[in-house]
């Protein structure tokens, strides 16, 4: 039996031996679609998970359509390195090509026999003008709840995920600053959707946060709040003694994110398993903890302590 390292022992490890940053897999959306389909069986929100599985599969199809995306220039690279900031700022650095990706996603989804209300949402998005779509994207990326259409949000976010995942994948990992602000993606500056404790090789027992936008993963020391960095009041909550997924809460900021243990379930996906475990969110809400941020596939007003 392998001994589990304590937080203190992990902190003393040679930092150069830890894989700091991991790009999203080239088939990340396809893997997500398969996992969603698996998790949908006998799930209380089966229909919704199956819809998002179809959406993720469409993302994978559109991802392979040969998009040309802007790359950071030398000035942008130098500024990020000099100031220790994420390479991109996803809230204001966006090429209009993302709207073409949204159109391609809509066209792909419209080939499926989707429920009438979903077809109506897709038709509305297909007919929306550029300013309206840009305003919707800004509201989502800046979490401006009062300006968000929750029904349209998963589809707009799906296009933004596509855009940023592909754009970040084109960047060499060595170009990403080694030191960036805590709690946000070193690549695009977005918040994590969840975190996972990895297995195998140099990532064994190491915790990585997964970006909610570009799906990059970056190392965060375990037993620390991924929202406020507190280490004294972190606690873990689960349903039915499920050891593969827990909610990591913080009494200081009253927020939580889910954490997955891949030694217990190696197929857990940061997005799919988070979405499929809504009963755990209900439990945390009853305990008056608040999600640090939304899953991009399910938008609801963010709570505040």
């Amino acid at each position: 039996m392998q001994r589990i390292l304590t937080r203190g022992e992990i902190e003393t490890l040679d930092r150069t031996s830890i894989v700091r940053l991991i790009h999203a897999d080239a088939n990340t959306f396809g893997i997500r679609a398969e996992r969603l389909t698996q998790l949908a069986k006998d799930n209380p929100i089966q229909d919704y998970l199956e819809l998002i599985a179809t959406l993720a599969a469409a993302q994978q199809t559109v991802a392979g359509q040969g998009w040309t995306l802007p790359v950071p220039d030398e000035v942008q690279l130098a500024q990020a390195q000099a100031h220790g900031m994420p390479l991109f700022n996803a809230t204001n650095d966006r090429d209009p090509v993302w709207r073409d990706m949204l159109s391609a996603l809509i066209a792909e989804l419209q080939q499926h026999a989707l429920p009438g209300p979903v077809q109506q949402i897709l038709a509305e998005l297909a007919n929306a003008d550029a300013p309206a779509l840009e305003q919707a994207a800004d509201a989502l990326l800046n979490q401006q709840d009062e300006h968000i259409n929750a029904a349209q949000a998963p589809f707009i976010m799906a296009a933004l995920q596509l855009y940023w995942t592909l754009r970040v994948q084109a960047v060499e990992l060595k170009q990403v600053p080694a030191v960036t602000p805590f709690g946000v993606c070193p690549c695009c500056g977005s918040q994590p959707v969840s975190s996972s404790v990895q297995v195998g090789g140099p990532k064994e027992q190491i915790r990585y946060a997964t970006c909610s936008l570009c799906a990059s993963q970056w190392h965060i020391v375990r037993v620390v709040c991924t929202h406020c960095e507190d280490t004294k009041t972190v606690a873990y909550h689960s349903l039915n003694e499920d050891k593969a997924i827990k909610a990591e809460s913080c009494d200081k900021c009253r927020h939580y994110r889910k954490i997955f243990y891949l030694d217990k379930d190696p197929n857990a996906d940061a997005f799919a398993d988070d979405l499929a475990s809504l009963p755990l969110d209900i439990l945390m809400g009853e305990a008056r903890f608040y999600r640090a941020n939304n899953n991009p596939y399910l938008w609801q007003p963010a709570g505040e302590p």
Side-chain angles (χ1 to χ4, degrees):
M1 180 179 295
Q2 186 174 19
R3 186 173 68 88
I4 301 298
L5 298 179
T6 67
R7 178 176 180 270
E9 288 173 322
I10 293 174
E11 286 180 322
T12 62
L13 290 175
D14 179 3
R15 295 289 182 180
T16 62
S17 70
I18 295 177
V19 178
R20 181 179 67 91
L21 183 62
I22 308 168
H23 274 342
D25 186 278
N27 189 38
T28 187
F29 298 111
I31 295 171
R32 196 176 303 166
E34 292 177 2
R35 181 64 172 173
L36 283 161
T37 300
Q38 175 189 5
L39 293 171
K41 298 175 182 177
D42 300 321
N43 193 290
I45 56 169
Q46 178 175 348
D47 291 345
Y48 192 76
L49 293 179
E50 290 176 345
L51 169 63
I52 301 304
T54 301
L55 176 56
Q59 287 176 291
Q60 188 63 48
T61 297
V62 175
Q65 293 179 354
W67 302 92
T68 300
L69 300 174
V71 296
D73 57 29
E74 294 300 322
V75 173
Q76 187 173 2
L77 291 171
Q79 287 179 340
Q81 294 286 355
H83 297 286
M85 299 300 293
L87 193 55
F88 301 108
N89 183 345
T91 59
N92 59 22
D93 179 10
R94 187 171 64 244
D95 188 273
V97 71
W98 83 269
R99 299 198 305 269
D100 297 328
M101 292 180 169
L102 176 60
S103 296
L105 272 176
I106 293 171
E108 181 67 25
L109 288 168
Q110 287 176 331
Q111 297 181 36
H112 296 267
L114 299 174
V118 177
Q119 294 178 23
Q120 179 62 35
I121 293 168
L122 295 176
E124 292 172 358
L125 288 172
N127 293 323
D129 59 26
L133 291 175
E134 294 294 348
Q135 289 174 7
D138 286 340
L140 286 164
L141 294 175
N142 289 288
Q143 300 187 52
Q144 298 170 337
D145 292 336
E146 66 276 15
H147 299 301
I148 291 173
N149 182 320
Q152 294 180 353
F155 304 100
I156 296 174
M157 285 300 299
L160 292 169
Q161 285 183 72
L162 254 178
Y163 172 79
W164 280 109
T165 299
L166 294 180
R167 192 170 178 191
V168 168
Q169 283 177 338
V171 174
E172 296 182 29
L173 292 177
K174 65 182 181 182
Q175 294 177 310
V176 180
V179 179
T180 52
F182 179 85
V184 297
C185 174
C187 298
C188 73
S190 301
Q191 296 185 59
V193 63
S194 61
S195 68
S196 59
V197 178
Q198 302 284 321
V199 292
K203 299 192 295 289
E204 181 72 31
Q205 301 180 45
I206 305 300
R207 192 254 287 266
Y208 289 82
T210 300
C211 178
S212 58
L213 195 60
C214 74
S216 296
Q217 299 179 72
W218 69 97
H219 171 237
I220 293 184
V221 173
R222 293 169 66 173
V223 199
V224 60
C225 175
T226 58
H227 185 69
C228 75
E229 207 173 358
D230 183 64
T231 61
K232 297 180 180 179
T233 64
V234 174
Y236 296 88
H237 315 257
S238 61
L239 290 172
N240 303 320
E241 299 184 355
D242 186 351
K243 297 180 180 180
I245 171 175
K246 297 180 181 180
E248 184 180 63
S249 69
C250 173
D251 280 346
K252 181 179 180 180
C253 68
R254 302 301 298 178
H255 286 85
Y256 75 94
R257 283 191 176 95
K258 293 173 190 171
I259 180 170
F260 305 103
Y261 298 86
L262 300 190
D263 59 333
K264 304 296 189 299
D265 187 349
N267 296 315
D269 174 84
F271 294 83
D273 285 72
D274 177 49
L275 192 62
S277 54
L278 284 182
L280 184 53
D281 293 287
I282 295 173
L283 172 70
M284 298 307 292
E286 291 174 346
R288 297 196 60 77
F289 287 101
Y290 303 87
R291 281 191 66 106
N293 60 293
N294 285 295
N295 186 305
Y297 294 112
L298 181 63
W299 211 267
Q300 53 190 349
E304 288 297 334

